[in-house]
């Protein structure tokens, strides 16, 4: 089997290499000459656990070029960005890929779209462009098989997760299923193209809405003077409740974008857009907290730990750090960043101590595991404030080193709001109301500490 994979990014390249490692001859196509050169010189354009050894296994049956060529299977894995001005999907790369395939398309070929698209895109946008080949749908086979892999675990999830395959007709579904079964060990569920497109968007929208709910709970908990992390741990003991984690916002190329694909042509939806709004406002919320801590400090400097969009990866696409930094700079704060996973980013310093030196507030935006072990004693800050927007630090240790620690969603040590009074804007609590830890008292009823470890309350 010869497969031509269009788009050698975070999804296309691992998919191409998995097919090659499982016996297919694979031609990887990318419009970026630099990506093609990089791969043909034996290098990888990005990092992902396991991809290097996969590449070595696959390289005898893999080559890269900038144009497609005749093949048995064509797979489209190109980006589908969001137009920031209109919040409407930009399908230009998908259209271009279909147009590039058309001259090479023959009867019985299979075309698979993996890119995430609004419902109906296969029928209305992709198939008509493929038919310009002179071969009609039905004579060639067509399926949508949306990717489901999470960055950081891409290879494991690509092979282990179940997949949904939506086909143009029965033959398309069966052929696409057989093709994916060469390396997918998870169950394959079959449907039509439009349903598969919708399902993918539902998955990411469901996650976005649930993160928004956690973020609202965090803000409500601060208003109520309780610790949301403990509350979530307890609520999740219910057999049918599974609340996600609050944080400084939702990044990545999928969850912050896909909900708009679902609703872009709808006149009735509100909850999906509201959830997007809640998640997009989280960098503002964290900055409000910083502002309240930094009031009165001359020329304040904020030091950000973690600019990747989530923990233990170096991916900064749509990271909430971008918005946080822009807002902070617009308010006149100097900003420095530290992220051991990221190579390039504005204001990035390669050493944690250098980044923190002389700064006034450390803000943890990303839940990298390595941050848990940071020794606050080694940080020479001018003013010792830390905002833990992911609840990952050992707070007692930081308090022990003279830091005032403010945890997103932990209102248990903030000033309570007297009943009937209007809540001040988020984060505008007085600095002396920030978290300070009392000496441990004997265990009381619950043994859940803010971050779910055993402790005292
Ligand atoms: N986040 C929170 N709280 C949480 C979970 C996540 O604030 O409890 C934040 C993360 O920090 C990050 C963002 O949400 O900024 C998204 O991270 P994620 O780990 O939820 O998801 P992605 O974007 O890395 O990958 C998602 C996955 N989709 C689902 O889990 C439904 C993945 O399976 C998809 O393949 C991927 O989108 C995609 O490409 O569509």
């Amino acid at each position: 089997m010869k497969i031509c994979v269009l788009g050698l990014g975070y999804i296309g390249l691992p998919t191409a290499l998995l097919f090659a490692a499982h016996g297919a001859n694979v031609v990887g196509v990318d419009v970026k000459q630099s990506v093609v050169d990089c791969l043909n010189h034996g290098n990888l354009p990005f990092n992902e656990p396991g991809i290097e050894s996969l590449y070595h296994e696959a390289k005898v049956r893999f080559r890269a070029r900038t144009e497609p060529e005749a093949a048995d299977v064509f797979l489209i894995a190109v980006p589908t960005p969001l137009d920031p001005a209109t919040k409407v999907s930009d399908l230009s790369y998908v259209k271009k890929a279909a147009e590039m395939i058309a001259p090479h398309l023959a009867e019985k070929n299979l075309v698979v779209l993996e890119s995430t698209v609004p419902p109906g895109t296969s029928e209305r946008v992709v198939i008509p462009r493929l038919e310009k080949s002179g071969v009609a749908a039905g004579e060639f086979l067509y399926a949508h098989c949306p990717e489901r892999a999470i960055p950081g675990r891409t290879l494991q999830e690509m092979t282990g997760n179940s997949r949904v395959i939506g086909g143009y007709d029965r033959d398309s579904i069966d052929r696409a299923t057989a093709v994916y079964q060469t390396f997918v060990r998870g169950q394959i569920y079959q449907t039509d193209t439009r349903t598969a497109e919708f399902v993918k968007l539902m998955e990411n929208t469901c996650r976005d809405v649930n993160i928004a709910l956690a973020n609202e709970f965090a803000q409500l908990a601060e208003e109520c003077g309780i610790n949301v992390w403990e509350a979530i741990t307890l609520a999740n003991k219910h057999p049918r409740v599974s609340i996600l984690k609050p944080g400084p916002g939702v990044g990545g190329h999928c969850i912050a974008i896909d909900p708009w694909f679902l609703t872009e042509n709808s006149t009735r939806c509100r909850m999906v857009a509201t959830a997007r709004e809640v998640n997009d406002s989280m960098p503002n919320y964290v900055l409000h907290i910083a502002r309240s801590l930094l009031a009165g400090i001359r020329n304040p400097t904020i030091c950000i730990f973690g600019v990747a969009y989530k923990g233990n990866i170096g991916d900064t696409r749509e990271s909430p750090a971008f918005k946080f930094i822009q807002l902070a700079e617009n308010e006149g704060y100097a900003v420095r960043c530290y992220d051991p996973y990221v190579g390039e980013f504005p204001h990035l310093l390669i050493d944690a101590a250098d980044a923190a030196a002389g700064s006034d507030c450390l803000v943890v935006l990303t839940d990298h595991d390595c941050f848990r072990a940071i020794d606050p004693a080694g940080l020479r800050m001018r003013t010792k404030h830390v905002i833990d927007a992911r609840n990952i630090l050992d707070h007692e240790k930081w308090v022990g080193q003279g830091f005032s620690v403010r945890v997103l969603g932990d209102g248990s040590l903030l000033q309570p709001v007297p009943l009937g009074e209007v809540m001040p804007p988020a984060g505008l609590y007085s600095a002396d109301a920030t978290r300070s830890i009392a000496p441990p008292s004997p265990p009381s009823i619950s043994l859940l500490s803010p971050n779910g470890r055993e402790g005292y309350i």
Side-chain angles (χ1 to χ4, degrees):
M1 177 168 64
K2 180 174 172 188
I3 304 186
C4 192
V5 178
L6 286 85
L8 297 177
Y10 292 86
I11 297 300
L13 181 60
T15 306
L17 295 178
L18 281 167
F19 274 121
H22 287 81
N25 287 314
V26 179
V27 179
V29 177
D30 203 290
V31 289
K32 285 191 195 143
Q33 186 70 51
S34 57
V35 171
V36 169
D37 290 345
C38 174
L39 285 162
N40 286 337
H41 286 108
N43 299 313
L44 289 159
F46 56 86
N47 242 333
E48 178 65 32
I51 198 163
E52 273 197 28
S53 54
L54 175 65
Y55 177 74
H56 287 295
E57 205 184 320
K59 67 183 177 194
V60 284
R61 280 184 296 276
F62 174 83
R63 65 196 157 87
R65 61 198 306 265
T66 54
E67 291 287 332
E69 58 187 47
D72 304 304
V73 179
F74 295 90
L75 192 151
I76 302 173
V78 296
T80 44
L82 185 74
D83 182 326
T86 56
K87 301 258 188 265
V88 169
S89 53
D90 170 359
L91 298 177
S92 53
Y93 298 101
V94 169
K95 291 176 186 169
K96 176 87 182 132
E99 284 157 9
M100 285 168 81
I101 292 169
H104 306 281
L105 196 61
E107 278 185 29
K108 304 283 177 220
N109 282 174
L110 168 70
V111 181
V112 180
L113 176 69
E114 279 221 11
S115 311
T116 306
V117 291
T121 300
S122 289
E123 299 150 62
R124 291 194 291 253
V125 174
V126 186
I127 291 176
R129 280 173 173 74
L130 294 171
E131 286 183 323
K132 288 194 178 148
S133 59
V135 189
E139 292 167 353
F140 70 85
L141 308 175
Y142 180 88
H144 178 49
C145 179
E147 56 90 6
R148 270 184 166 172
I150 203 151
R153 290 169 46 84
T154 297
L155 298 179
Q156 278 151 282
E157 294 215 345
M158 274 183 176
T159 49
N161 285 359
S162 63
R163 300 290 289 253
V164 174
I165 291 184
Y168 175 80
D169 55 15
R170 187 72 251 165
D171 284 353
S172 299
I173 294 173
D174 290 343
R175 175 90 173 106
T177 302
V179 167
Y180 275 90
Q181 274 171 340
T182 57
F183 74 83
V184 172
R185 300 285 161 257
Q187 184 74 35
I188 292 181
Y189 297 99
Q190 302 177 333
T191 184
D192 58 89
T193 56
R194 191 181 286 226
T195 304
E197 291 162 343
F198 197 86
V199 166
K200 166 70 191 187
L201 298 175
M202 280 168 76
E203 290 165 5
N204 281 353
T205 302
C206 173
R207 194 150 170 90
D208 197 42
V209 171
N210 281 296
I211 295 169
L213 186 61
N215 283 331
E216 283 220 338
F217 284 151
Q219 296 172 54
L220 290 167
E222 291 193 5
E223 287 183 9
C224 289
I226 62 125
N227 181 344
V228 81
W229 299 91
E230 183 190 358
I232 288 174
T233 307
L234 294 172
N236 284 350
K237 302 288 179 204
H238 187 290
R240 285 176 297 283
V241 173
S242 180
I243 301 166
L244 293 174
K245 293 181 194 154
V250 167
H253 194 61
C254 309
I255 297 205
I257 289 174
D258 296 354
W260 295 119
F261 287 16
L262 196 57
T263 58
E264 67 179 27
N265 206 13
S266 164
T267 50
R268 27 187 112 217
C269 291
R270 296 217 309 277
M271 201 204 282
V272 175
T274 304
R276 282 280 64 248
E277 225 173 85
V278 169
N279 289 335
D280 276 352
S281 73
M282 290 312 289
N284 313 44
Y285 190 79
V286 178
L287 186 65
H288 277 240
I289 298 173
R291 191 205 281 157
S292 69
L293 300 178
L294 293 170
I297 296 175
R298 279 170 62 85
N299 304 323
T301 298
I302 292 178
C303 172
I304 296 168
F305 270 28
V307 294
Y309 84 86
K310 65 175 187 175
N312 305 326
I313 60 169
D315 192 336
T316 59
R317 289 176 297 168
E318 318 294 326
S319 170
F322 285 108
K323 185 174 182 189
F324 182 84
I325 291 171
Q326 206 170 347
L327 288 170
E329 290 189 319
N330 285 355
E331 291 214 18
Y333 300 119
V335 174
R336 292 189 214 136
C337 304
Y338 167 67
D339 192 317
Y341 285 85
V342 173
E344 257 179 64
F345 201 82
H347 315 298
L348 191 68
L349 291 162
I350 49 168
D351 183 74
D354 288 347
S359 65
D360 301 290
C361 184
L362 198 140
V363 184
V364 178
L365 290 184
T366 308
D367 44 353
H368 291 317
D369 285 335
C370 58
F371 288 165
R372 295 174 201 275
I374 282 179
D375 182 6
L379 305 178
R380 302 268 167 262
M381 303 209 9
R382 178 170 70 167
T383 322
K384 291 185 165 185
H385 290 304
V386 59
I387 301 172
D388 186 357
R390 298 284 189 174
N391 191 28
I392 56 163
L393 301 180
D394 179 343
H395 303 136
E396 294 195 25
K397 190 160 87 180
W398 287 72
V399 169
Q401 287 299 323
F403 278 81
S404 77
V405 180
R406 177 71 160 77
V407 183
L408 176 70
D410 183 358
S412 62
L413 288 153
L414 296 172
Q415 282 171 342
V417 183
L419 281 180
E421 268 189 30
V422 179
M423 189 63 192
L428 294 182
Y429 309 103
S430 65
D432 56 5
T434 53
R435 184 176 173 76
S436 65
I437 293 190
S441 52
S444 67
I445 304 164
S446 157
L447 283 175
L448 288 170
S449 78
N451 38 21
R453 295 188 304 268
E454 291 216 329
Y456 306 121
I457 56 167

